Amino acid sequence: MKRLKLLLCVVTLLFCISCKDMLEPEIENNLDLESTTNNASYAQGLLLNGYNRIPTNSWSFNDVSTDDAVTNDKNNAYLKIATGQWTAINNPLSQWTNSRAAIQYLNLFFSVTDQVKWAVDQNINKMFNDRMKGEAFALRALFNFYLLQAHGGKGTNGQLLGIPIVLQPEGLDADFNKPRATFDDCMAQIYRDLDMAEQLLPNDFEDIATDAQVPAKYAGVGKDNYNRVFGYYFRGRITARIAKAIKAKASLLAASPAFNPSATAKWEKAANDAAAVIDLRGGLVNLNLNDIKWYDKDAGIDGLASGVNPSEILWRSDVGSSNDLERSNFPPTLFGSGRINPTQNLVNAFPMANGYPILENNSGFVAASPYDNRDPRLKLYILVNGGTSGTSGSVINTSANGTTNDALNKVETSTRTGYYMRKLLRQDVNLNPSSTTSQKHYNPRIRYTEIYLAYAEAANEAWGPISNGTHAYSAYDVIKAIRKRAGVGASNNDAYLESIKSDQVKMRALIRNERRLELCFEGFRFWDLRRWNANLNEVAQGISIIAPAYNPINVENRAYQNYMVYGPLPYSEILKYNNLIQNAGW
């Protein structure tokens, strides 16, 4: 019996020893915020979190909730909101969680960066601190822009509201029940952050060759130390040039009819902000044909050095090799799912090669051959019936009586409109299971064409089509250059543009149309229609082709309400915080 008791004691002791880790866990390998002062990598991680959350790091294809496209994916969230299921509970366009989380991390970064030991040498330490603070200011402005775009609007009190302005980290004991600031106050904060970014950052991250090129505020550090902080190694991160472009995007939003009923001064600011980016590039220069194929091998994507941009790209994501876009959007006969289907509405928006809209008397449009003699961008961006695609240049038949799965509504991966998306896709990708290949891709965060079009739109509103304020070019000059680059109006000096160049209303329509064409499938149309107070409910149309007849068909109705010019705040936030005012109608 004594032996049994002794054995039980030993077993109990061993059990207790073995359970030590369970009963008293070891200190976890988690760093607190104070640890950042001696851990520069951890501190920089707070900043890099912002880069990781940039919405344009991936494609949204919210175009399928506009008059530009539909999708054959019946579970697509944007299809659902376009057809009546957009609510404050179901909002795939919300930036409330993502952008506010990014701002929290950036505010945490601001709270520690001045104490972080970025480098042993104090001068180099200051440069690192300045650079990363500049990046953080620009990123915070960018995320506040996305919040305003998605959630700014007229509250139930009729006032134009933005979002709560948060400039400090929010701890567990923070007051989260903050009211929304006015839209104008939010814009003022965005401008302040961007001004700080421009002061702290160089125009570009490039090595300098001599000590004499070191900026005066860092005099004495030497070119090698300067390059260590501001050199080419950091290409791809935010610069003063990019901060100016973010300002141009934000200014255009603020000047637009949905947020600016009449103030000419806001249009002037938007034009001036866009011009600052254009002038930094040297004006209306370097517009070449390959700019409109920036996503393709013709634009040099395969040979891009680390961080280097093609001439069209101001800021982009990293280059990666994949075939995901092609797998989702190639026609079925090329082993794709044909997800994004451009509408007849968008096809009709492309003019003839001579520059005239297809319904104009001088256009030369022939209904029996609707894709002939059209703007070259049409077949570059949209795969039409009889067009070619893929590595073998396969002819794609989208007719209603076609015999392959590419035909209209043939199978669940077939087109619903008679068209497939071609833009963004690498035609040298092969999806055949026996010989699948991938190719290089990247996402543009900001393109120069976006900035050109922002200037044209704002300048036309501020000064008219052919006046230029204090700049060397007008709205007309920009549109002339963009259409010339595309090969539009080459045979007749763009006679249509010349005929309307003194008419502000017609120029407005043309500028908006050029924006629609140049930026299609890149996630702009949804927001553009709203900031313009334009028609949200144009029926998405397609084409039923049974040779020789081309018959337009209604494919999908839109079910937006008037108040949906502005997006909602999340319903859960409204329930939690009584100081938050919801946008009217939601």
Side-chain angles (χ1 to χ4, degrees), residues 19-28:
C19 290
K20 176 179 182 293
D21 288 344
M22 179 178 71
L23 300 175
E24 297 180 26
E26 296 290 345
I27 297 173
E28 295 181 1

Side-chain angles (χ1 to χ4, degrees), residues 521-540:
F521 312 124
E522 296 180 46
F524 287 90
R525 183 70 173 171
F526 181 89
W527 305 111
D528 284 345
L529 289 173
R530 282 161 175 75
R531 67 181 180 83
W532 291 332
N533 279 334
N535 178 19
L536 305 178
N537 286 318
E538 188 173 325
V539 177

Side-chain angles (χ1 to χ4, degrees), residues 467-508:
S467 297
N468 53 16
T470 60
H471 307 292
Y473 38 85
S474 64
Y476 157 81
D477 293 326
V478 171
I479 297 304
K480 182 91 168 178
I482 287 176
R483 283 161 67 93
K484 181 179 179 181
R485 177 181 67 184
V488 173
S491 64
N492 61 357
N493 192 35
D494 205 346
Y496 177 73
L497 175 61
E498 295 301 318
S499 73
I500 68 163
K501 68 179 183 181
S502 297
D503 188 320
Q504 186 184 46
V505 174
K506 289 184 178 179
M507 184 63 81
R508 178 186 300 132

Side-chain angles (χ1 to χ4, degrees), residues 8-23:
L8 288 173
C9 289
V10 171
V11 171
T12 301
L13 178 61
L14 290 172
F15 176 79
C16 290
I17 293 172
S18 66
C19 290
K20 176 179 182 293
D21 288 344
M22 179 178 71
L23 300 175

